[in-house]
Amino acid sequence: MASSVNIALVPVEGDLDVTTAPLARRRIDRLIAGGCRRVFLNMADVGYVDSAGMGLIITELRRMRSAGGLLSLINVSDQAYLALRRMRVLDFMPVHRAGSKSRVTGLDPSVLPLWRMTFRADERTLSEARDRVGDLLARLPFSADEIFDMKLAAGEALGNAIDHTCEGGVLVTVAAYPDRVTVEVSDCGCGFELSEDEDPEEAGPNAERGRGIRLMRLLCDSVSIARKQTGEGTVVRLVKLLDGPADAPVDETAASV
């Protein structure tokens, strides 16, 4: 199980039934008690969910919600997805089918953002920076759960950037396009890059950074990490696609640096 202070990935070993549900429950309960507020239940090995498994999902979802967090299911098989849909679990939590995540196409260079906001952050203003990202995302047609995830992803990117940057801090840019939002976090450190298909463990010895990259990939539709085109440092770009069209620019202050 890979985890951080705020986010954890919990695998289900075998079908989610009366024999495996208690172990999964203990793992999730320990995470909640330890302050974790985002749990992914990896259903890659699950072909069947019985009433005990359904009870686990609903009970732990309620616990996470009451603690201000979120539980979701990933890599759900077609058979398990059908059972979850019949029980209307899909109405209350994010559920992602196996192989459902498609590759995000690049932006057409001719498409300009509807609005853009850039601000600076450092170790003293990290919490405020996360909240500011969340406030900007709330202007777009995202659900509360989607904003929650993007705010966590931005927090991971900010934490890594602040840990590797110079005294000038980091720059955060949130930009809204007709079909997506991008959050870019740039630092002035030694520089780092990783392709979207590359395992972070193979890219370098920094295990902490590698874990953060995996978590951001779970939370976003696309994560790109590249060296700055000018100067030293790294730019992390997080992308979240919109289900519906974004609104027009909100006001002059949101479009300025």
Side-chain angles (χ1 to χ4, degrees):
M1 177 178 65
S3 66
S4 71
V5 173
N6 295 316
I7 316 168
L9 177 63
V10 177
V12 180
E13 298 165 357
D15 292 335
L16 188 57
D17 55 24
V18 68
T19 65
T20 59
L23 175 59
R25 187 186 304 277
R26 287 194 295 271
R27 287 178 172 176
I28 297 171
D29 286 349
R30 283 198 300 268
L31 289 165
I32 296 173
C36 183
R37 294 297 175 259
R38 185 63 171 99
V39 172
F40 292 89
L41 205 58
N42 187 355
M43 306 275 283
D45 295 330
V46 177
Y48 175 78
V49 183
D50 69 2
S51 59
M54 290 290 182
L56 161 76
I57 292 169
I58 294 170
T59 299
E60 296 305 310
L61 173 63
R62 287 173 178 166
R63 287 201 65 197
M64 287 295 290
R65 293 282 194 193
S66 64
L70 178 62
L71 171 72
S72 67
L73 311 179
I74 61 172
N75 297 321
V76 178
S77 68
D78 290 342
Q79 184 176 354
Y81 187 87
L82 179 60
L84 293 165
R85 187 174 67 182
R86 286 173 175 166
M87 294 297 292
R88 301 196 65 181
V89 173
L90 277 62
D91 297 340
F92 306 103
M93 69 186 303
V95 177
H96 302 283
R97 302 172 80 162
S100 63
K101 193 169 183 178
S102 58
R103 195 174 190 86
V104 175
T105 58
L107 273 170
D108 186 325
S110 66
V111 177
L112 298 177
L114 301 174
W115 55 261
R116 174 189 287 144
M117 171 68 81
T118 298
F119 57 93
R120 193 173 297 277
D122 57 32
E123 61 183 6
R124 297 166 299 175
T125 60
L126 180 57
S127 177
E128 291 86 345
R130 291 193 296 260
D131 289 341
R132 196 168 185 183
V133 169
D135 291 341
L136 290 169
L137 294 175
R139 296 174 172 176
L140 299 167
F142 287 124
S143 68
D145 289 344
E146 288 171 327
I147 294 173
F148 184 87
D149 277 356
M150 282 297 288
K151 188 175 173 181
L152 281 176
E156 287 289 327
L158 278 162
N160 278 337
I162 288 172
D163 193 39
H164 294 87
T165 196
C166 59
E167 293 182 359
V170 305
L171 285 179
V172 184
T173 299
V174 182
Y177 294 87
D179 68 338
R180 70 190 68 188
V181 67
T182 64
V183 180
E184 290 188 353
V185 178
S186 60
D187 62 45
C188 52
C190 60
F192 179 77
E193 58 187 2
L194 186 74
S195 70
E196 290 196 48
D197 298 324
E198 193 174 357
D199 189 321
E201 279 190 348
E202 298 175 0
N206 194 325
E208 199 68 31
R209 173 175 275 188
R211 183 162 62 245
I213 293 168
R214 284 199 197 86
L215 295 173
M216 287 187 288
R217 286 175 173 172
L218 282 172
L219 295 163
C220 304
D221 290 318
S222 174
V223 178
S224 62
I225 302 167
R227 298 179 189 273
K228 283 184 178 178
Q229 293 184 347
T230 58
E232 294 185 343
T234 303
V235 179
V236 176
R237 175 182 254 209
L238 314 175
V239 178
K240 187 70 175 177
L241 298 176
L242 292 162
D243 291 331
D247 293 332
V250 287
D251 54 44
E252 291 298 323
T253 59
S256 63
V257 174

